[in-house]
Amino acid sequence: MTQNLPALVLGAVAVALAIALGWFARTFLWRRGLDRKQRFFGLPQHSECLMVVNRDAATAEWSVIRNDVFALLELSAVVKECGANADVISHDMAQQGFGERTEFCIGGPVSNRRMAAHLQSLLPGVRIDTETGNSPDRGAFTIGGERHLLEPGVREHVLLARLTAGQGDTARPVFLVCGQRSVTHQAAARHLARHHDQLTRKYGANGNFCVLLRVVNSQAYGADVVELVADVTRAATAPPPTSSADPDAGGRRGGHRAKS
């Protein structure tokens, strides 16, 4: 027994070192992943962020549409993981600039005035047709000359963007979730929460981007089936082309047209 004691001690020490190294490695990787997530979302520990949502037009008092609530829950989980705090306000109460704290803005330009302002200043190349009634163009997105129609319950589009308005790497980002229907907001928020690592690898922790997503067959699958249509960053952030012969042609049919 005495002869085996040194071997037993060495074995115990080796096991302890392996456990310690494993713990330190796991902690290091977790810490690095958290730092990367905090930089991407602009949410360092104990920081503040803003969540801007539209009002539900069907009620007299301030309330949020069901799918937009689910979108807020998806984003709230991200904020909590980053160790930050969120302030949820209505779109007509948000009267401040951007860059000082991270903002998540959810909704279309008709029901969310804050979103309409962001589209005009940050995504001038995006046009959203706000025609009401039964027009086939209602809710259509036009980006870079390509038109993306709304087919309720079948194919519905949503823009997901991270933007800093050219204010540098120290500016806190604005995340835009602008969809043709509220179910697309939940889908885009979930996509952002689940795929931020891939977005970070592609665009960088401080990179700007705007992608167009498509929600497929929401009447059967809800917000679960999402396709990436295209990266529209260049077309969406560029000023729209103007025609000297008919400068108002692009803004007809009641559509939202951002000015350069």
Side-chain angles (χ1 to χ4, degrees):
M1 181 66 182
T2 305
Q3 295 177 344
N4 296 330
L5 184 59
L8 293 175
V9 171
L10 289 175
V13 171
V15 171
L17 286 175
I19 293 174
L21 288 174
W23 181 84
F24 280 117
R26 187 165 57 249
T27 302
F28 172 78
L29 292 174
W30 172 81
R31 183 72 246 182
R32 189 173 67 172
L34 179 61
D35 289 343
R36 186 167 56 245
K37 178 184 290 188
Q38 290 174 330
R39 289 198 305 273
F40 177 79
F41 286 104
L43 294 173
Q45 192 79 13
H46 305 305
S47 62
E48 300 287 335
C49 72
L50 193 65
M51 293 185 176
V52 183
V53 292
N54 56 326
R55 294 176 182 265
D56 187 351
T59 61
E61 299 180 355
W62 180 41
S63 63
V64 181
I65 299 173
R66 181 171 177 266
N67 286 313
D68 287 352
V69 172
F70 292 148
L72 290 174
L73 291 175
E74 297 280 357
L75 298 174
S76 296
V78 171
V79 174
K80 183 178 180 181
E81 289 174 2
C82 291
N85 302 301
D87 184 15
V88 181
I89 64 173
S90 172
H91 70 103
D92 52 1
M93 298 293 291
Q95 298 179 347
Q96 61 186 51
F98 43 80
E100 293 186 1
R101 57 176 173 168
T102 294
E103 176 182 340
F104 299 93
C105 191
I106 301 171
V110 175
S111 58
N112 189 323
R113 294 192 314 212
R114 181 79 170 176
M115 179 64 74
H118 285 327
L119 290 175
Q120 182 176 1
S121 59
L122 301 177
L123 296 177
V126 174
R127 177 178 173 248
I128 300 178
D129 199 312
T130 58
E131 181 73 23
T132 59
N134 296 322
S135 170
D137 292 332
R138 180 174 61 89
F141 288 0
T142 302
I143 309 167
E146 294 191 18
R147 198 164 182 79
H148 306 275
L149 297 177
L150 165 65
E151 299 178 52
V154 180
R155 295 197 310 171
E156 298 144 326
H157 300 87
V158 56
L159 287 170
L160 173 62
R162 181 193 190 276
L163 304 163
T164 55
Q167 296 180 330
D169 294 343
T170 59
R172 301 289 173 81
V174 176
F175 289 91
L176 303 183
V177 178
C178 178
Q180 294 176 325
R181 294 183 68 209
S182 63
V183 68
T184 65
H185 300 153
Q186 179 187 356
R190 181 180 297 171
H191 183 87
L192 178 63
R194 293 183 178 180
H195 300 288
H196 63 87
D197 279 337
Q198 292 93 316
L199 294 169
T200 301
R201 286 194 293 269
K202 183 173 183 179
Y203 301 104
N206 298 307
N208 291 340
F209 65 83
C210 179
V211 295
L212 181 66
L213 305 175
R214 179 189 296 127
V215 180
V216 179
N217 200 2
S218 64
Q219 60 187 352
Y221 306 125
D224 288 341
V225 182
V226 180
E227 298 176 344
L228 173 63
V229 178
D231 180 337
V232 295
T233 306
R234 179 174 297 182
T237 55
T242 58
S243 171
S244 58
D246 188 4
D248 295 326
R252 290 176 180 171
R253 296 192 303 275
H256 173 84
R257 175 77 176 253
K259 299 179 179 179
S260 58

